[in-house]
Amino acid sequence: QVRLEQSGGGSVQAGGYLRLACEPPRPTPGRYCMGWFRQVPGKEREGVACVSKNGAARSTGIAQGRWLVSEPYTDMPGYLGMAKLRPDDTGMYYCALDLSDNCRAESLTDSRLFQYWGQGTQVTVSA
């Protein structure tokens, strides 16, 4: 059973910063894509960013220019650092793991590619 443990999140004012963490199974698999998704009120789940074991990262318009994703290291989880937060970023954030491949173009548009999911963490941004 693969478990992803999420931590971080919480409440912050607009313009603030939060960092989400995702602990993968150890030792980390030889190849994987760690993805970050979110579900905000009134919208379907959407991809935010993803990173492969070799550090190659992709992001959507949600994250570009504001957020950075990093891969897990030996003693560190994977992170999603979110700067310049806005009230419309409020929602549940999930990390996920695709063990079948490195991140690819469709990783952030097709969440079915990910076999394992974290429990989710709430992010609330106030105006």
Side-chain angles (χ1 to χ4, degrees):
Q1 182 77 16
V2 174
R3 293 173 59 96
L4 298 177
E5 294 292 334
Q6 288 186 237
S7 60
S11 298
V12 68
Q13 289 189 321
Y17 174 86
L18 286 173
R19 188 175 70 172
L20 308 182
C22 182
E23 184 65 41
R26 301 290 182 178
T28 54
R31 182 176 63 181
Y32 63 80
C33 176
M34 176 176 281
W36 291 91
F37 294 80
R38 74 178 189 181
Q39 187 152 20
V40 302
K43 298 181 70 175
E44 294 186 355
R45 185 167 53 190
E46 54 189 344
V48 174
C50 61
V51 61
S52 301
K53 184 167 185 175
N54 62 6
R58 296 174 181 267
S59 62
T60 65
I62 295 169
Q64 288 175 355
R66 299 195 297 151
W67 302 351
L68 289 177
V69 62
S70 61
E71 73 275 24
Y73 288 100
T74 302
D75 298 321
M76 292 173 54
Y79 290 110
L80 178 66
M82 304 184 296
K84 302 178 183 179
L85 283 162
R86 305 187 297 244
D88 61 1
D89 292 319
T90 295
M92 285 292 290
Y93 285 71
Y94 300 89
C95 70
L97 207 60
D98 173 10
L99 298 183
S100 70
D101 205 348
N102 293 319
C103 295
R104 42 200 147 152
E106 57 268 34
S107 293
L108 294 176
T109 57
D110 188 355
S111 62
R112 296 171 301 176
L113 294 174
F114 292 82
Q115 301 87 33
Y116 305 101
W117 291 80
Q119 76 275 21
T121 186
Q122 177 69 33
V123 170
T124 302
V125 185
S126 58

